[in-house]
Amino acid sequence: MKGPLFYSKILLFGEYGIIQDSKGLSIPYNFYKGALKTDENPSNEAIASNKSLQKFASYLADLQNSQPELVSFNLETLHTDIANGMYFDSSIPQGYGVGSSGALVAAIYDKYAYNKITVLENLTREKLLQLKAIFSQMESFFHGKSSGLDPLNSYLSLPILINSKDNIEPTGIPSQSTQGKGAVFLIDSGIVGETAPMVSIFMENLKDNGFRKMLKSQFIKYTDACVENFLHGDIKSLFANTKKLSKVVLNHFKPMIPEQFHQIWQHGIETNDYYLKLCGSGGGGYILGFTEDLEKAKTALKDYKLEVVYNF
């Protein structure tokens, strides 16, 4: 049994902002992927994944009972497959902000949901929002609260533009320039990040009037600008706004940035060699970097391995 592949994702812009209705842009990242499988001699990882799938299947049965109009699954086949040792074979690192649970949710929906919305049909806004609502409920099993965007991205394997909470659409992104010097890259912080505690710090901060003001007047403003600049290929403005965004994150989202990166973050802003931002909820996992000169960024960050995601 070898299922179709589901890819990881990267939210280029919009982390935290989309909770407060900023724009966002999420792209599939095909370097990491996962698929449902069954093996004759399962590894320890496969056994652990199978155990977690058992719990997830019970959660889905409860979800179907409580919200039958939202989604229903072929639970009998799901339980049989899990009893036969099915697991999620994935190279997507967990707790890294690249959508490990999203890919699993997409794979389960694809294989076991009744009346599923497929990628091949005409994806109206209604259908996209319905998918997002289903995925949000499914993925809440892993995070406590989920927007449903990660599984949506993994399921469709298309870049997704988030205009607001109830306005999302698949989008095209400018084609990459293989000759260009600029790049978007990932740095491995070497620490696993936990989504739930980071989100609760953010929710706590939202109670503060000053923080809410800053969010609207700076964080969301620059996030929206970055999304527009990126989609229109306006690289000069993109870097100017990414720098502003990087500054705001360093000043107001410190707990989400692993401590050993505070200095490196500041250094990028001062030298303009690169600008860093959160990838997902932060607290560890990957950090996202933007540079107009990849070689300069590599030299400045020589202690870290950079994974290039996109070339300008």
Side-chain angles (χ1 to χ4, degrees):
M1 181 175 136
K2 195 162 169 13
L5 291 173
F6 291 90
Y7 296 105
S8 53
K9 65 84 212 179
I10 290 172
L11 185 62
L12 279 185
F13 300 104
E15 71 295 333
Y16 291 108
I18 53 176
I19 299 176
Q20 291 294 304
D21 248 7
S22 78
K23 284 186 185 293
L25 181 64
S26 184
I27 61 170
Y29 182 42
N30 298 358
F31 187 72
Y32 295 119
K33 48 195 162 300
L36 293 165
K37 273 188 183 171
T38 309
D39 285 346
E40 290 291 307
N41 302 304
S43 65
N44 289 340
E45 280 95 352
I47 293 165
S49 167
N50 175 264
K51 278 211 169 77
S52 144
L53 278 181
Q54 287 170 28
K55 291 185 189 135
F56 189 37
S58 312
Y59 171 83
L60 294 179
D62 292 345
L63 176 63
Q64 181 173 309
N65 282 336
S66 64
Q67 300 189 48
E69 69 300 330
L70 180 73
V71 64
S72 60
F73 300 96
N74 185 340
L75 292 170
E76 202 177 317
T77 311
L78 175 60
H79 286 303
T80 306
D81 288 346
I82 292 171
N84 291 333
M86 180 176 77
Y87 67 102
F88 191 57
D89 181 24
S90 167
S91 65
I92 307 169
Q94 292 186 356
Y96 265 67
V98 285
S100 54
S101 56
L104 167 58
V105 165
I108 293 285
Y109 175 83
D110 181 63
K111 194 166 176 21
Y112 299 101
Y114 285 123
N115 307 320
K116 67 176 186 186
I117 296 167
T118 70
V119 187
L120 300 171
E121 59 197 272
N122 177 18
L123 285 170
T124 60
R125 184 188 293 179
E126 282 67 37
K127 283 180 186 168
L128 278 175
L129 286 173
Q130 195 187 337
L131 265 179
K132 184 172 173 281
I134 292 167
F135 289 151
S136 165
Q137 291 297 316
M138 287 175 73
E139 202 185 29
S140 291
F141 171 75
F142 300 97
H143 293 317
K145 186 173 177 5
S146 156
S147 68
L149 277 170
D150 287 5
L152 186 64
N153 205 300
S154 190
Y155 185 63
L156 300 178
S157 239
L158 293 165
I160 292 171
L161 169 63
I162 302 114
N163 293 303
S164 64
K165 278 196 188 77
D166 42 18
N167 182 354
I168 52 174
E169 55 184 313
T171 187
I173 56 175
S175 51
Q176 302 197 46
S177 150
T178 41
Q179 306 306 311
K181 286 162 73 173
V184 181
F185 58 86
L186 294 173
I187 304 176
D188 185 347
S189 71
I191 309 162
V192 173
E194 290 277 336
T195 299
M198 292 297 129
V199 173
S200 60
I201 292 173
F202 176 75
M203 291 309 201
E204 197 51 43
N205 286 346
L206 276 181
K207 293 175 185 169
D208 176 75
N209 195 24
F211 185 82
R212 286 202 307 276
K213 269 198 178 127
M214 172 282 301
L215 209 64
K216 211 178 173 103
S217 66
Q218 298 174 42
F219 187 74
I220 290 177
K221 180 181 159 189
Y222 300 141
T223 296
D224 288 359
C226 286
V227 171
E228 290 296 321
N229 298 157
F230 187 89
L231 290 177
H232 293 115
D234 182 353
I235 304 306
K236 198 168 178 295
S237 303
L238 173 68
F239 279 98
N241 284 312
T242 303
K243 179 177 185 173
K244 290 172 185 165
L245 190 57
S246 184
K247 261 189 201 161
V248 172
V249 173
L250 184 59
N251 291 334
H252 299 280
F253 289 79
K254 270 234 168 68
M256 287 76 168
I257 304 171
E259 207 157 308
Q260 66 270 40
F261 283 92
H262 289 183
Q263 197 109 37
I264 298 161
W265 202 288
Q266 181 66 40
H267 181 77
I269 294 166
E270 284 169 6
T271 59
N272 299 315
D273 287 350
Y274 57 85
Y275 306 123
L276 301 181
K277 63 184 292 298
L278 297 172
C279 179
S281 55
Y286 283 118
I287 289 169
L288 205 50
F290 286 72
T291 180
E292 290 186 87
D293 187 334
L294 185 58
E295 290 315 311
K296 253 190 192 166
K298 277 183 176 164
T299 308
L301 297 164
K302 61 181 186 307
D303 299 340
Y304 300 91
K305 187 175 149 283
L306 309 190
E307 278 179 41
V308 174
V309 175
Y310 185 93
N311 289 99
F312 291 111

